[in-house]
Amino acid sequence: MALQARALLTSKWLAEAVKAQGKMRILDTSWYLPKLRRNAKSEFKKRHIPGAAFFDIDQCCDKTSPLDHMLPSEEIFADYVGNLGIESDTHVVLYDASEFGAFSAPRVWWMFRVFGHSAVSLLNGGLRNWELEGREVSDKYVRPTPTEFKASLNRTWIKTYEDILDNLESKKFQVVDARPAGRFRGLDPEPRDNTEPGHIPGSISIPFHSFLSQSGHFLPKEQLQALFARAGVDLGGPICVSCGSAVTACHVALAAHECSHPGVSVYDGSWSEWYTRAVPEHVISEGRGKHW
């Protein structure tokens, strides 16, 4: 039976766990949109939680795809994770250094889970709050000893372009878009070149930052449930999540998990793929005249 772990951990818990030196691997999963011109790996080398290794979503991906950081094969994921010293019974704790408190870490949380590893948690509040609380950071890095990891992909948690296209008629699942509201509505530009804003017909907008408090922590369960209810999302039904490139979409997946949803699927190609493949009438935008 697979090991289970709480999705969200406090910095106090992690600080004590670091001292206890149990079978745990901390991963800095920081990633930024290219236009921000931040180098996550360079920042990691200068400061990270002691003992952490770096997980790069642009390396652990399907490099044959023209789309950004699409899920890799089971073999590639297993090899990448094994080289980080992670085995099937390792408790993996993730964080990122975003000012939001969580930006890319939920994506990696979902990646571990979709590849069958349930012993994975997120540091609630991220490096931002770890440092605000005066906890130790380090520039020292010890390369993990490679080991063997076994990955088993849960394909029911992944949606393709064809799945989303079919769902326009069948309406078998709800689609929630985690991009900021301006991009969803088509009023603000997309951060990627050659991609205009807008949304998939019938999709529901819940911007990823809505799930976070001003301090950068995920909201309590009751507030998350209320957020979904206000947006018209039925937590008792199937949900698929999307964003620009399936990174912040995973905030929705984690929030739904906290609300006891059995498992949200992710449209891995997200808006980056939909915009390039969909016919014009399947790109819903209030600002078509502004951007086209």
Side-chain angles (χ1 to χ4, degrees):
M1 186 171 139
L3 292 172
Q4 300 288 327
R6 283 180 295 162
L8 297 170
L9 299 175
T10 66
S11 55
K12 179 183 178 184
W13 185 97
L14 182 57
E16 292 172 353
V18 168
K19 292 176 184 176
Q21 296 185 330
K23 192 162 187 181
M24 178 180 71
R25 172 65 63 196
I26 305 170
L27 298 179
D28 183 323
T29 65
S30 299
W31 175 86
Y32 305 102
L33 288 163
K35 288 191 174 182
L36 292 180
R37 297 185 178 180
R38 288 182 66 175
N39 188 316
K41 195 163 188 178
S42 294
E43 291 182 18
F44 166 80
K45 289 177 180 177
K46 294 174 184 174
R47 79 188 210 289
H48 52 259
I49 293 175
F54 187 75
F55 187 107
D56 190 340
I57 63 171
D58 283 332
Q59 292 299 317
C60 185
C61 65
D62 177 5
K63 294 183 180 179
T64 68
S65 174
L67 298 166
D68 291 340
H69 39 253
M70 295 286 281
L71 274 181
S73 65
E74 291 175 337
E75 293 75 20
I76 290 173
F77 186 81
D79 183 63
Y80 187 91
V81 168
N83 282 329
L84 291 174
I86 296 168
E87 297 177 311
S88 296
D89 60 346
T90 303
H91 183 192
V92 180
V93 180
L94 314 168
Y95 72 89
D96 64 55
S98 163
E99 65 274 15
F100 290 106
F103 187 74
S104 49
R107 165 71 180 189
V108 182
W109 172 85
W110 177 78
M111 287 177 71
F112 271 96
R113 288 176 53 79
V114 80
F115 280 110
H117 192 79
S118 298
V120 58
S121 305
L122 201 76
L123 172 61
N124 200 7
L127 186 64
R128 165 187 164 183
N129 281 282
W130 179 270
E131 291 189 297
L132 282 174
E133 293 169 14
R135 302 193 187 277
E136 182 184 1
V137 292
S138 175
D139 60 359
K140 296 181 174 63
Y141 177 65
V142 178
R143 186 178 296 278
T145 302
T147 186
E148 184 177 349
F149 181 90
K150 292 183 180 179
S152 178
L153 183 62
N154 180 354
R155 298 184 187 278
T156 66
W157 284 359
I158 304 166
K159 291 289 188 286
T160 64
Y161 171 80
E162 290 75 19
D163 293 329
I164 305 297
L165 188 62
D166 289 345
N167 193 63
L168 297 183
E169 295 295 332
S170 67
K171 295 179 170 53
K172 290 181 180 177
F173 51 85
Q174 305 158 92
V175 178
V176 179
D177 191 315
R179 289 173 300 150
R183 289 166 58 191
F184 177 89
R185 293 175 59 191
L187 301 176
D188 294 337
E190 286 290 312
R192 291 176 175 81
D193 294 334
N194 304 314
T195 305
E196 298 294 345
H199 62 268
I200 297 165
S203 57
I204 299 167
S205 173
I206 312 183
F208 76 91
H209 56 79
S210 304
F211 298 100
L212 302 170
S213 67
Q214 288 189 338
S215 66
H217 297 86
F218 270 83
L219 298 173
K221 179 179 178 179
E222 295 75 19
Q223 292 183 38
L224 293 174
Q225 290 172 324
L227 179 59
F228 280 116
R230 285 195 304 272
V233 175
D234 177 11
L235 285 169
I239 300 170
C240 172
V241 296
S242 177
C243 61
S245 62
V247 175
T248 58
C250 297
H251 285 66
V252 189
L254 195 152
H257 174 82
E258 285 294 280
C259 295
S260 304
H261 193 281
V264 164
S265 60
V266 171
Y267 174 23
D268 207 28
S270 279
W271 185 250
S272 296
E273 179 182 42
W274 186 263
Y275 176 76
T276 60
R277 296 185 64 182
V279 295
E281 56 265 33
H282 290 162
V283 174
I284 307 301
S285 173
E286 297 174 34
R288 188 175 290 271
K290 179 179 178 182
H291 297 284
W292 272 260

